[in-house]
Amino acid sequence: MAPSIIHLPNGQTLTVTPVFGGIQFKANDLNTHHNAFPPGWTIVINSEDEEDGAKHHLTPTHSDPDATPRAEFPLAQERRLHLHRYRRPTLRSDHMFISSISNPSSHDFRPPTSPTRQIAMMLWATLWWYFHQPAPPPHLITTASAQTPEEGRPKGEWRVHIDREGIFKGKHLLPKLERMGIVATEDSTVGVDPGDGVTNAGMGWSHMFISQRTFWQLDPRIYLFTLTPTQSNSPYPSISPAPSRSGSPSRPSSNLSTTIDSSSNSAAAAQLGRSSTPPGPFTSSSHLPTFYPPPPTQYIFSSTGVRHPIRPKPPRQGEVVYTRWIPSLGQYLSFRVASLSKQPCAYSGPISTTTSSPPDSVLSPGTRESLRAGTTGTSSLSEPIIPTLRGLSLAPPNQTQQSGDSDSETCHMSDVELLHKWMNTPRVAHSWGETGPLSHQEAFLTSSLTSRHSLPLIGLFDGQPFGFFEVYWVKEDRLAPLLGGDGCGDFDRGLHVLVGEQEFRGSHRVRVWLAALVHYAWLADLRTGSVVLEPRVDNVNDVRGFRLKQYCEEVGFHKEREVAFPHKQSNLMRIRRETWTAPAL
């Protein structure tokens, strides 16, 4: 296993290196001085093989060979295990635990005020690395399926077991992590030991695991945070985690004298023509993430007489609601709320460098990558850089000198101007029908922003706008009456999609941003059970003839049926949470 760099959603990076007895995770943003034990942690991960006759196996219930198999867990003394060093992921046989933690110097950062939250962050980051590895074959080998061809065998979820060893041996640590949702167990019994949790802390907590499906539904903002700098003039941000930017700046030089404070943020925002976005619910002066679970459901009636739950207050204009590093593109994908500001909406999230391009296998003719790569072979993915106020210019857009892809005119356009440009493109007008002067697009965006059930978003690759999207609650939408009483749940979401920039088109990019929108819907409300699209039946989204319906099917949607609106005939495409596995990487 070679060393690698992993990119966390908040813009921070970790160096993953195999070491004697495990795998080391080094926090690059906290490694301010040369140290024999750099800040980070080490995990021990092993794969487990069981001898014949002692495996965890699936047996049919009630001796019926056609019944749904259930898991049988033999007693510990009956299991004969063979452990070997981790080489590649397995479906259900990998075990891991954190063996040691190395904190940064107390001269640079204060010790974490909540060690449990720090360990949860480390476990989440470890799982982020683990579930980016190549997926193992999904088929289970069972007693009943031993003679069945591999493709016909039952499938299982990809799981990794979290052992009660090392750091996790703490008396109440695993129960706390289970309450935080990052680990789970199939043993949901109270237990027969009266001393459980008192004299026998390990009872009932020895079979903890997390599945790939569950991990990708955990909002990273619950777990990721940065440590508090000890010095008041530290170059590190004073609040973490931030809603729209990473927790630590890049350090291209040894000069770390830049001070980031609220006054400079306010001044920058004033020069950019919009008020400063207030801290979101995940921002905390204690540098610990805060989390607000969904409130009890309350129902009201819409203006059209539809009974639906009271919806949570949406994010503010310009707020980034989703950011993720895309390994196959070497870029960050973000979605932010559209804004009516007359000035361009400043992007302060993480971006990648522009010195390299993704592999040729994902390049499409006429796209940004194909033009950048030319006829060269495959190239390595770019490394991210994180902008700071040092590199922020407050000059008017026509005087701002930026390099690389930041020169794009879309970076210097307001959202209304972006919509005006995109909606008047013949390709987009064919599907949306919203052509017209600038005032028409302003009225369109105003209507979207004042809607009680729709959230307008601008999509960005490395901070450059490329499309407009709407995420709406189906229950209150005009689609709901066409679905019937059982056709939509109280928290189902729907999508309207528009890619305005020609250079950001292509089948691979569609899979990336469409899967990311679905991922956002799952993270935004854990009660959302399905996401739908209703593209027009004649919607052609590519010169090669691929329809949006086919793109949806590649992401995991299925065509449920056709529905007839007053103005169009549409394919009803649906994806359910229970069938979804992971976003496109």
Side-chain angles (χ1 to χ4, degrees):
M1 172 182 168
S4 61
I5 301 291
I6 62 173
H7 309 269
L8 299 180
N10 64 352
Q12 293 182 314
T13 62
L14 300 172
T15 299
V16 183
T17 308
V19 295
F20 179 76
I23 298 175
Q24 182 188 62
F25 290 75
K26 184 179 72 174
N28 298 326
D29 300 272
L30 302 181
N31 191 25
T32 57
H33 308 287
H34 176 72
N35 196 322
F37 299 97
W41 63 96
T42 302
I43 69 165
V44 173
I45 179 170
N46 295 307
S47 297
E48 173 186 282
D49 289 336
E50 297 184 358
E51 299 178 11
D52 293 341
K55 286 188 177 181
H56 286 184
H57 58 281
L58 299 179
T59 59
T61 57
H62 308 297
S63 301
D64 180 2
D66 296 325
T68 302
R70 58 186 175 88
E72 297 288 349
F73 293 91
L75 297 178
Q77 60 268 25
E78 298 177 354
R79 299 175 60 192
R80 298 186 298 274
L81 306 180
H82 170 66
L83 295 177
H84 59 82
R85 189 172 182 178
Y86 168 85
R87 299 183 184 91
R88 65 184 63 87
T90 62
L91 193 64
R92 300 242 176 137
S93 299
D94 291 340
H95 293 249
M96 72 167 61
F97 62 89
I98 298 177
S99 60
S100 64
I101 296 175
S102 176
N103 288 315
S105 171
S106 59
H107 295 289
D108 297 324
F109 297 93
R110 298 175 186 172
T113 56
S114 175
T116 300
R117 303 301 287 268
Q118 182 192 28
I119 293 172
M121 175 185 68
M122 294 176 176
L123 178 57
W124 190 95
T126 301
L127 295 170
W128 175 267
W129 161 80
Y130 178 79
F131 286 118
H132 271 79
Q133 304 304 304
H139 302 285
L140 293 168
I141 301 177
T142 69
T143 304
S145 67
Q147 304 302 320
T148 305
E150 182 177 358
E151 294 301 321
R153 291 173 181 167
K155 295 182 179 181
E157 281 191 330
W158 183 9
R159 294 180 178 179
V160 58
H161 299 272
I162 309 300
D163 289 348
R164 190 173 176 270
E165 298 288 344
I167 301 299
F168 297 138
K169 214 167 185 177
K171 186 175 182 179
H172 300 302
L173 182 56
L174 281 178
K176 289 180 178 180
L177 295 178
E178 192 269 343
R179 296 294 184 270
M180 295 171 68
I182 198 169
V183 295
T185 177
E186 290 187 355
D187 182 7
S188 58
T189 63
V190 175
V192 296
D193 185 1
D196 182 13
V198 182
T199 60
N200 188 358
M203 176 65 72
W205 301 96
S206 57
H207 293 294
M208 310 304 296
F209 67 90
I210 183 171
S211 68
Q212 179 199 37
R213 187 191 307 273
T214 300
F215 173 77
W216 284 111
Q217 296 181 50
L218 299 177
D219 194 317
R221 294 174 295 180
I222 302 174
Y223 305 100
L224 297 181
F225 64 96
T226 59
L227 297 179
T228 306
T230 56
Q231 300 177 1
S232 59
N233 62 344
S234 170
Y236 296 90
S238 59
I239 296 181
S240 174
S244 311
R245 60 172 296 143
S246 63
S248 299
S250 63
R251 296 184 297 278
S253 68
S254 59
N255 181 13
L256 298 178
S257 60
T258 304
T259 301
I260 301 178
D261 54 30
S262 57
S263 61
S264 61
N265 281 328
S266 301
Q271 291 289 338
L272 291 171
R274 62 183 299 270
S275 61
S276 177
T277 301
F282 292 94
T283 303
S284 170
S285 59
S286 68
H287 280 236
L288 288 176
T290 56
F291 177 63
Y292 299 88
T297 304
Q298 303 177 72
Y299 286 87
I300 58 174
F301 286 91
S302 69
S303 58
T304 57
V306 177
R307 182 176 180 267
H308 65 87
I310 294 178
R311 306 302 181 186
K313 188 73 174 175
R316 291 171 63 99
Q317 293 185 32
E319 182 175 343
V320 176
V321 299
Y322 183 94
T323 300
R324 186 163 57 86
W325 169 259
I326 309 299
S328 60
L329 296 176
Q331 294 178 314
Y332 280 95
L333 168 65
S334 303
F335 295 104
R336 63 166 173 80
V337 183
S339 173
L340 284 171
S341 170
K342 301 296 184 182
Q343 299 296 326
C345 210
Y347 174 77
S348 57
I351 60 174
S352 65
T353 60
T354 59
T355 57
S356 59
S357 59
D360 289 343
S361 59
V362 302
L363 303 183
S364 299
T367 62
R368 164 192 296 273
E369 289 76 21
S370 62
L371 294 175
R372 182 190 301 165
T375 58
T376 61
T378 58
S379 57
S380 60
L381 297 182
S382 57
E383 295 296 329
I385 59 172
I386 302 167
T388 64
L389 289 181
R390 180 192 305 172
L392 178 63
S393 172
L394 302 181
N398 59 350
Q399 299 177 14
T400 302
Q401 298 297 324
Q402 297 177 334
S403 61
D405 299 323
S406 300
D407 280 336
S408 172
E409 61 174 342
T410 57
C411 295
H412 309 309
M413 299 172 67
S414 68
D415 289 352
V416 173
E417 293 171 336
L418 288 172
L419 284 177
H420 177 67
K421 173 188 176 183
W422 295 338
M423 291 294 189
N424 285 282
T425 302
R427 171 180 56 82
V428 175
H430 175 74
S431 299
W432 281 72
E434 293 291 346
T435 58
L438 201 65
S439 58
H440 178 83
Q441 314 308 331
E442 185 174 10
F444 171 84
L445 184 55
T446 300
S447 175
S448 188
L449 288 169
T450 55
S451 170
R452 292 189 174 185
H453 76 284
S454 182
L455 177 66
L457 301 174
I458 299 293
L460 308 100
F461 278 113
D462 272 350
Q464 182 172 342
F466 73 91
F468 174 79
F469 308 92
E470 290 179 326
V471 182
Y472 62 88
W473 299 103
V474 178
K475 195 80 171 183
E476 300 98 282
D477 193 73
R478 57 184 176 183
L479 172 63
L482 305 179
L483 302 181
D486 299 328
C488 67
D490 283 345
F491 298 95
D492 287 355
R493 305 296 287 263
L495 305 175
H496 294 145
V497 300
L498 179 164
V499 176
E501 294 300 307
Q502 178 69 26
E503 60 183 328
F504 290 108
R505 297 177 64 203
S507 59
H508 180 70
R509 284 193 181 269
V510 173
R511 286 191 295 270
V512 167
W513 60 251
L514 183 55
L517 285 171
V518 174
H519 190 199
Y520 165 71
W522 301 148
L523 297 178
D525 198 311
L526 299 181
R527 298 166 291 185
T528 297
S530 68
V531 177
V532 299
L533 274 88
E534 14 88 14
R536 206 167 65 194
V537 293
D538 66 333
N539 189 316
V540 178
N541 216 38
D542 190 87
V543 295
R544 293 171 294 176
F546 282 99
R547 296 179 183 274
L548 184 56
K549 170 181 173 292
Q550 293 172 272
Y551 287 140
C552 292
E553 290 171 340
E554 292 177 1
V555 173
F557 286 82
H558 69 277
K559 179 179 177 179
E560 200 167 85
R561 55 192 169 97
E562 291 188 6
V563 292
F565 290 92
H567 65 295
K568 67 174 183 177
Q569 184 77 10
S570 295
N571 291 311
L572 178 63
M573 311 298 298
R574 187 187 297 270
I575 184 171
R576 300 185 185 276
R577 185 189 286 266
E578 61 188 18
T579 63
W580 182 87
T581 301
L585 302 179

